[in-house]
Amino acid sequence: MNLKSARHLVNGSWHTAGSAKDVTDPGNGSTVGEVAWGTAGDATKAADAAAEAFGSWSRTTVRQRADLLRTAAELLADRRDELAHTLALEAGKRLPEAQGEVDFSVEYFRWFAEEARRTTGTVSPPELQGRRHLSTRKPIGVALSLTPWNFPVSIQARKLAAMLAAGCTVVGRVSEKAPLAATGLFEVLHDAGFPAGVVNLVHGPSREITAALMSHPAVRAVSFTGSTGVGRQIMASASERVVRPLLELGGNAPFIVFEDADLDAAVEGAVLGRLRNTGQSCVAANRFLVQDSIAEEFAQKLGARFDAMSIGHGVPDDGAPVPDLGPVIDADRVSAVQALVDDAEERGARRVTQRTSVPAQGSFLAPTLLADVPDDAPLVTEEVFGPAAGVVTFSSEEEAIRKANATEMGLAAYVWSGSPRRGWDIPEQLEAGIVGVNDPLPSVAFAPMGGAKQSGLGREGSSLGLEEFEEVQYVAWRP
Ligand SMILES: NC(=O)c1ccc[n+]([C@@H]2O[C@H](COP(=O)([O-])OP(=O)(O)OC[C@H]3O[C@@H](n4cnc5c(N)ncnc54)[C@H](O)[C@@H]3O)[C@@H](O)[C@H]2O)c1
Ligand SMILES: O=C[C@H](O)CS(=O)(=O)O
């Protein structure tokens, strides 16, 4: 595999048209590889190839598609360590988390290989003698898969596996901040034997490439994961040609801890929920809502866990242990998270964690927990996307739910309680697409992933993920 150079894949051939940009390691600023920097013309060629391939690919049998997806899953599993190593370097991940991301990606190919075979329709009983009514599901057309840097492999896998299972052809664009391992994923698909033009990839300036792809007449669906701001722009441009949008956008997940929760388990859940991928996950626990009777104990225990974390490069030199926390993606993310923390402190929030020093080279931040955070502090009203969070208190179930829902975001939410009743009742009242009850890591390939409110439209994974790339056709038939 060529994991040093992220090239374009167009109509079954790899190339590096245009200029190139360096890809850097957030853990030390060194160059990891380079990404080809194409133009709108390259994007149009990729969409042309996908359009040309659609006719024959959309008519393959589900058996053929399932077999290729299974082959891709096996090949991806074989290349796991190589891909994970590059992914860890370019995205600043801890090596075990990068390995976990590739393993998770394999699951999407396995799941959609199976799900492809369940693309069934219905036959409705007629009201007139002899008449027939059938509905069938067909691939929607050329689909775009546009993804961010935080889980660059698994988010592409979630989209690509569903699109290909449905019978769509694809053009992908990945974030220039972490394009190498994701390009390795496209190489897996190419090597697995997907026919020329079925899977295409183009790198380059986001606006120009996306605009060219969105205006291509064969493009019928766009699946975008990223910030809500860019998601709005994608949705606006999708309206011009009535392209079907699937949007997985930002979050602001409340992590609600009731006084009947197992406190130590809640603290461990909070560590994972907040600090997985150095806090840069769309489903991350963004703010801690804790019942006032246990809030101080929760904050002290969580603060102590944060303070005890080792911080360093996610792929340490030979023999050294992997640290508990890696870098964030770049210096801009360091400043953005730091600004939220400084602002909350200026508003009167109390620092629970110590001021730990971090490695001088690379984009590092010490994990930070603040208590007594005012309800209107951006640290709790905005998506932090980094290793910092605030604790806000509540006194009743009603107050917890009101505060949890007081956001335009609605991707994930977490509830920690020992009460089975609360396990049922609270999720029903939360405006979130995903709820973890005593579970900080809800994502699995076979369950629907997606958000409510401004966190997005549509669902990925599960059987619903396949339907996003299908068109239902109804046939009324008088034999
Ligand atoms: N809901 C989810 O499943 C999910 C998953 C991961 C990340 N996210 C969200 O993504 C955000 C962080 O990722 P990010 O910083 O890469 O997001 P981003 O929106 O800045 O970028 C996402 C992708 O869009 C591209 N892009 C940027 N500006 C664009 C434009 N004007 N037109 C077209 N494309 C453009 C980027 O190059 C990148 O590939 C967070 O808000 C996070 O919550 C959501
Ligand atoms: O950033 C969002 C990720 O897609 C979250 S998860 O890997 O699905 O949990």
Side-chain angles (χ1 to χ4, degrees):
M1 264 198 304
N2 181 349
L3 290 174
K4 291 275 180 213
S5 162
R7 297 163 294 162
H8 311 292
L9 172 62
V10 177
N11 205 19
S13 302
W14 292 99
H15 67 94
T16 54
S19 53
K21 269 183 180 272
D22 282 349
V23 179
T24 52
D25 177 343
N28 57 24
S30 66
T31 300
V32 187
E34 61 176 29
V35 53
W37 209 240
T39 61
D42 296 309
T44 302
K45 279 183 203 152
D48 286 344
E52 176 69 26
F54 181 72
S56 54
W57 177 249
S58 61
R59 285 193 299 276
T60 49
T61 64
V62 288
R63 177 69 182 257
Q64 287 170 301
R65 302 207 284 267
D67 284 350
L68 277 170
L69 287 164
R70 233 186 328 272
T71 304
E74 284 160 15
L75 210 49
L76 186 57
D78 290 346
R79 297 181 186 180
R80 177 243 207 192
D81 289 342
E82 205 182 342
L83 276 167
H85 188 263
T86 297
L87 173 60
L89 294 183
E90 65 177 338
K93 286 177 191 269
R94 298 169 61 250
L95 187 57
E97 292 194 52
Q99 290 165 337
E101 181 174 340
V102 180
D103 294 342
F104 190 32
S105 307
V106 171
E107 290 307 309
Y108 281 105
F109 286 98
R110 289 205 178 117
W111 167 258
F112 281 110
E114 294 163 6
E115 206 56 22
R117 305 194 57 141
R118 289 187 272 276
T119 305
T120 53
T122 57
V123 179
S124 307
E127 292 184 348
L128 290 178
Q129 233 14 288
R131 207 171 170 205
R132 295 288 179 267
H133 306 269
L134 288 81
S135 7
T136 58
R137 288 152 62 188
K138 304 186 343 174
I140 191 168
V142 174
L144 304 181
S145 176
L146 311 176
T147 54
W149 48 265
N150 63 334
F151 290 92
V153 177
S154 59
I155 294 177
Q156 270 294 340
R158 184 146 68 202
K159 296 181 190 308
L160 293 172
M163 291 167 175
L164 294 168
C168 294
T169 55
V170 182
V171 183
R173 182 189 175 277
V174 303
S175 168
E176 66 280 12
K177 292 183 187 175
L180 301 170
T183 301
L185 172 65
F186 279 79
E187 200 171 332
V188 163
L189 297 175
H190 176 255
D191 295 351
F194 284 90
V198 171
V199 184
N200 305 276
L201 171 66
V202 62
H203 301 282
S206 58
R207 281 171 194 269
E208 190 181 333
I209 298 289
T210 306
L213 294 174
M214 292 294 288
S215 62
H216 194 283
V219 168
R220 297 285 172 220
V222 57
S223 179
F224 168 81
T225 295
S227 59
T228 295
V230 176
R232 277 190 206 103
Q233 294 174 31
I234 299 280
M235 193 166 167
S237 86
S239 73
E240 283 169 28
R241 293 185 43 259
V242 196
V243 166
R244 186 187 294 175
L246 168 57
L247 302 172
E248 299 290 357
L249 309 177
N252 178 3
F255 186 103
I256 310 169
V257 189
F258 287 99
E259 60 191 359
D260 61 8
D262 173 337
L263 195 64
D264 290 333
V267 167
E268 286 316 304
V271 171
L272 258 180
R274 174 63 280 183
L275 297 184
R276 170 180 174 234
N277 205 37
T278 320
Q280 303 161 114
S281 160
C282 55
V283 295
N286 199 58
R287 52 200 163 114
F288 297 111
L289 297 185
V290 190
Q291 195 146 18
D292 40 20
S293 55
I294 54 159
E296 189 57 28
E297 191 183 355
F298 175 86
Q300 291 305 327
K301 286 188 164 186
L302 185 57
R305 285 287 282 112
F306 278 17
D307 281 340
M309 300 201 95
S310 55
I311 304 169
H313 198 286
V315 189
D317 293 338
D318 283 348
V322 177
D324 298 320
L325 202 68
V328 291
I329 190 73
D330 56 20
D332 288 349
R333 198 93 297 276
V334 172
S335 317
V337 176
Q338 195 57 57
L340 291 172
V341 170
D342 294 346
D343 168 87
E345 285 192 285
E346 277 162 26
R347 289 169 189 258
R350 171 169 53 96
R351 177 174 278 268
V352 180
T353 41
Q354 296 162 8
R355 291 181 193 276
T356 311
S357 61
V358 296
Q361 263 207 323
S363 45
F364 289 94
L365 270 164
T368 302
L369 186 69
L370 302 184
D372 306 332
V373 180
D375 286 346
D376 61 352
L379 182 67
V380 292
T381 59
E382 290 178 12
E383 186 178 37
V384 178
F385 229 58
V391 177
V392 172
T393 59
F394 66 85
S395 57
S396 65
E397 260 180 35
E398 293 67 31
E399 188 183 7
I401 288 158
R402 180 175 53 74
K403 286 188 170 178
N405 288 338
T407 166
E408 270 301 301
M409 297 300 136
L411 187 57
Y414 301 90
V415 180
W416 290 76
S417 166
S419 152
R421 180 195 63 76
R422 283 190 166 134
W424 282 112
D425 282 0
I426 306 292
E428 278 180 6
Q429 298 172 73
L430 291 173
E431 296 163 355
I434 303 161
V435 183
V437 180
N438 300 330
D439 187 344
L441 301 175
S443 294
V444 289
F446 52 86
M449 151 100 197
K453 303 198 278 189
Q454 293 195 30
S455 285
L457 283 179
R459 292 296 180 267
E460 297 194 296
S462 76
S463 53
L464 300 177
L466 192 65
E467 290 176 16
E468 298 284 345
F469 304 108
E470 292 174 331
E471 196 66 85
V472 172
Q473 184 175 59
Y474 162 58
V475 179
W477 182 15
R478 292 174 193 258

